[in-house]
Amino acid sequence: MAIIYRTSALAQRHAEIGGELEDWNGMGTAWFYDHTDERAKADYEAVRTKAGLMDVSGLKKIHLSGPHAAAVIDRATTRNVDKLMPGRAVYAAMLDDRGLFIDDCVIYRVSVNYWLLVHGTGAGHESLAMAAYGKNVSMIFDDDLHDMSLQGPVAVDFLEKHVAGIRDLAYFGIIQTKLFGKPVMISRTGYTGERGYEIFCEGRHAIELWDAILEDGKDMGIRPVQFSTLDLLRTESYLLFYPGDNSETYPFADGSACGDSLWELGLEFTVSPGKKGFRGAENHYALEGKERFKIYGVRLEGTTAADEGAELLKDGKPVGVVTYGMRSDLFDHTVGIARMPVDCAVPGTKMTVRNADGTEIPCVAEEMPFYDKDKKIRTAKG
């Protein structure tokens, strides 16, 4: 049983609407407000057609400041942060000495020598601490900083009523401002594939802001959304979840040690062109062309979704696994993220998904994302 050692200031609000607080990243998180398919569908469709508000405070927030802060982040992540200007953010990967993925993160450059790094459930904190050892840098893990994610097409319309210039905030831009009279940092980021925003605030203001957003946004269709909805949204949008899509959850059949390369995960774009000197860099580059599998999409026939961990078959033989599947009535597709052999990761490759109950569903390999393929929605201007 996991020890829940972190607490969201919004735990009371989640409990009041039926939230079951389960461990995620050490924090009690509202995976479900209820377990019905109706709730899951309503939350998913709210984000795709209106907007949903989620508590994502379980992400770990780390402040880095001082003259060596940039050098520490440069060593621990795959991005060239020297090119990141104040008011901007970037998505990055973090590797171990083998050049294999251990975490992902968003790096925010708040000011000249002050950075905020937000990461998930991997070993990112430890890697940063190792890079910071002996450096002139302050590194603070901040659990008082809460993160509410407002995602969906009406999010910008709602925020425009309260935040001047929000429509001018570019994708992965950040702004220091106020919302309902409280100091906040708003970033144009998220984990849904929608035009969305993350609202960072002090823990003491979290409940008041949560309540105000839901009350003021009620007529626009804004509703609280359970954390599990992210799996549906991310699957359509090709947003990976560590360790759910990784060999830490689906070990290699030959007994090889866990750990996936960026080439296998399709995350090689997170390495700034020509960058050297980050942890695992030489091994990362040496692994190009040596993929043992590929993360790729599958599109299923019919309306039955693939189970989490469903077998992927080709010519009747197991070749991979569907890490997460979903059905969308809104877009009339049944799709999934899968781990499969490199030669199967070609559009149109015919395979079969076999669920736990023995149901076999024909499918074909397909490039991701399935939703907003050209990413115009999340990056829209104005």
Side-chain angles (χ1 to χ4, degrees), residues 2-7 23-28 58 60 125 141 143:
I3 296 175
I4 296 178
Y5 64 96
R6 307 171 59 209
T7 303
D23 172 63
W24 180 69
N25 214 9
M27 181 174 283
K60 291 182 176 178
H125 194 154
F141 171 42
D143 240 6

Side-chain angles (χ1 to χ4, degrees), residues 171-183:
Y171 190 45
F172 275 86
I174 60 177
I175 184 173
Q176 309 294 333
T177 185
K178 65 179 179 179
L179 184 61
F180 295 106
K182 306 300 180 186

Side-chain angles (χ1 to χ4, degrees), residues 3-291:
I3 296 175
I4 296 178
Y5 64 96
R6 307 171 59 209
T7 303
S8 169
L10 295 167
Q12 177 186 344
R13 287 294 184 265
H14 300 315
E16 288 169 353
I17 53 177
E20 300 175 11
L21 301 182
E22 301 178 22
D23 172 63
W24 180 69
N25 214 9
M27 181 174 283
T29 302
W31 281 95
F32 298 97
Y33 291 135
D34 71 47
H35 290 268
T36 63
D37 290 340
E38 291 78 10
R39 176 77 202 209
K41 180 179 178 180
D43 282 0
Y44 160 78
E45 292 188 355
V47 175
R48 285 288 182 246
T49 63
K50 296 177 182 176
L53 183 66
M54 287 166 278
D55 178 14
V56 293
S57 300
L59 292 165
K60 291 182 176 178
K61 288 81 62 180
I62 301 174
H63 302 279
L64 294 113
S65 62
H68 295 169
V72 169
I73 299 171
D74 194 61
R75 170 62 180 165
T77 76
T78 55
R79 293 291 192 178
N80 181 356
V81 297
D82 201 40
K83 293 186 177 181
L84 191 66
M85 294 296 109
R88 296 291 300 161
V90 69
Y91 175 67
M94 306 174 83
L95 310 181
D96 63 14
D97 293 335
R98 300 173 297 166
L100 302 179
F101 182 90
I102 57 170
D103 213 341
D104 58 357
C105 62
V106 176
I107 305 164
Y108 299 87
R109 188 165 195 172
V110 182
S111 62
V112 176
N113 278 344
Y114 172 37
W115 309 71
L116 175 67
L117 191 141
V118 178
H119 73 95
T121 60
H125 194 154
E126 292 85 344
S127 194
L128 277 169
M130 184 165 58
Y133 185 78
K135 306 293 194 304
N136 187 1
V137 62
S138 171
M139 178 176 166
I140 300 174
F141 171 42
D142 184 0
D143 240 6
D144 182 66
L145 186 64
H146 279 54
D147 184 357
M148 289 176 276
S149 192
L150 182 64
Q151 302 286 312
V154 306
V156 66
D157 301 318
F158 171 80
L159 288 173
E160 187 178 35
K161 298 191 301 179
H162 306 284
V163 180
I166 194 69
R167 284 196 177 275
D168 297 325
L169 187 63
Y171 190 45
F172 275 86
I174 60 177
I175 184 173
Q176 309 294 333
T177 185
K178 65 179 179 179
L179 184 61
F180 295 106
K182 306 300 180 186
V184 295
M185 182 179 87
I186 299 178
S187 67
R188 193 171 156 190
T189 51
Y191 192 60
T192 64
E194 290 293 339
R195 179 172 183 161
Y197 301 82
E198 289 183 85
I199 302 164
F200 294 88
C201 69
E202 297 174 67
R204 64 194 177 106
H205 296 148
I207 288 179
E208 188 172 343
L209 284 167
W210 177 270
D211 290 347
I213 292 168
L214 293 176
E215 178 60 30
D216 194 63
K218 183 169 53 179
D219 292 341
M220 300 178 73
I222 297 174
R223 59 182 277 153
V225 170
Q226 57 194 16
F227 194 75
S228 57
T229 307
L230 287 173
D231 274 328
L232 304 174
L233 300 162
R234 76 175 185 86
T235 297
E236 286 184 320
S237 303
Y238 187 19
L239 298 165
L240 302 185
F241 181 76
Y242 179 86
D245 298 310
N246 300 81
S247 54
E248 283 78 1
T249 300
Y250 301 103
F252 295 108
D254 64 2
S256 297
C258 293
D260 306 327
S261 75
L262 297 184
W263 311 103
E264 293 166 336
L265 298 173
L267 295 178
E268 64 273 13
F269 71 91
T270 63
V271 180
S272 294
K275 183 177 177 183
K276 300 178 181 179
F278 59 92
R279 185 182 180 194
E282 291 184 1
N283 286 326
H284 159 72
Y285 289 117
L287 289 169
E288 184 178 7
K290 300 177 182 177
E291 295 86 353

